């Protein structure tokens, strides 16, 4: 699957992940993606301004928390559950 | 035990905890306190400037990650392991 960039599994850094999750809106996004299904950014955005969400997507993607791939005029987003579970077993269950 | 302020267990917020741990120096401090023993701030500070560490202690304390109590001219610090485990089971094990 083609995706915009993000770290490979082995390069996911716990500090980046913690910082990415240390924000209520981003933690809500991760919770909304917890089932592992892809969703469009539009569905997840709600009433939050697009520019704000663009920052959140980038933070989550660069930390290795989500995959983001172009899909028409939107993006599809998916939690990197398997990668996070492999790197930091139990983390998502503890947080969500 | 008299301590400087920090949230009671039930008020510890996962967002604050994640944000507090989303910093390499603070994560090192938490790792150094992982055994649950009290340590002086001086021992943990290493070569980091005092003012920088004061910010880190406050962030960790206000998030409910550590207890901090005066001890002569220093502070004693202790990880709130039981409180964090009660609130977010498995989190510390996943992170440390």
């Amino acid at each position: 699957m083609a995706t915009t960039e993000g770290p490979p599994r082995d390069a996911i850094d716990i500090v980046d992940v913690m910082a990415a999750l240390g924000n209520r809106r981003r933690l809500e996004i991760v919770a909304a993606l917890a089932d592992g299904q892809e969703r469009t950014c539009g569905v997840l955005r709600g009433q939050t301004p697009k520019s704000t969400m663009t920052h959140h997507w980038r933070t989550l993607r660069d930390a290795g928390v989500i995959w983001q791939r172009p899909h028409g005029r939107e993006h599809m987003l998916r939690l990197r559950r398997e990668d996070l579970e492999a790197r930091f077993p139990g983390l998502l269950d503890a947080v969500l």
Side-chain angles (χ1 to χ4, degrees), chain A:
Chain A
M1 182 174 76
T3 59
T4 51
E5 67 183 322
R9 176 186 290 188
D10 290 350
I12 298 177
D13 187 315
I14 187 68
V15 173
D16 296 335
V17 173
M18 294 289 102
L21 299 182
N23 173 281
R24 202 165 308 278
R25 194 70 188 85
R26 289 197 293 270
L27 208 53
E28 287 172 359
I29 294 164
V30 170
L33 292 168
D35 64 7
Q37 298 299 305
E38 264 194 328
R39 286 179 176 77
T40 65
C41 55
V43 163
L44 293 164
R45 183 163 71 86
Q47 300 303 308
T48 309
K50 263 194 180 178
S51 58
T52 303
M53 292 309 279
T54 299
H55 167 70
H56 289 326
W57 308 141
R58 186 181 302 125
T59 302
L60 289 166
R61 183 194 69 206
D62 292 352
V65 176
I66 64 171
W67 287 122
Q68 181 185 31
R69 69 179 179 90
H71 180 72
R73 296 174 62 183
E74 291 198 297
H75 284 92
M76 299 294 287
L77 305 167
R78 186 165 57 86
L79 184 63
R80 294 179 65 173
R81 182 175 264 288
E82 286 184 18
D83 290 337
L84 292 168
E85 186 60 24
R87 288 283 287 158
F88 317 111
L91 176 63
L92 284 177
D93 286 341
V95 169
L96 298 179

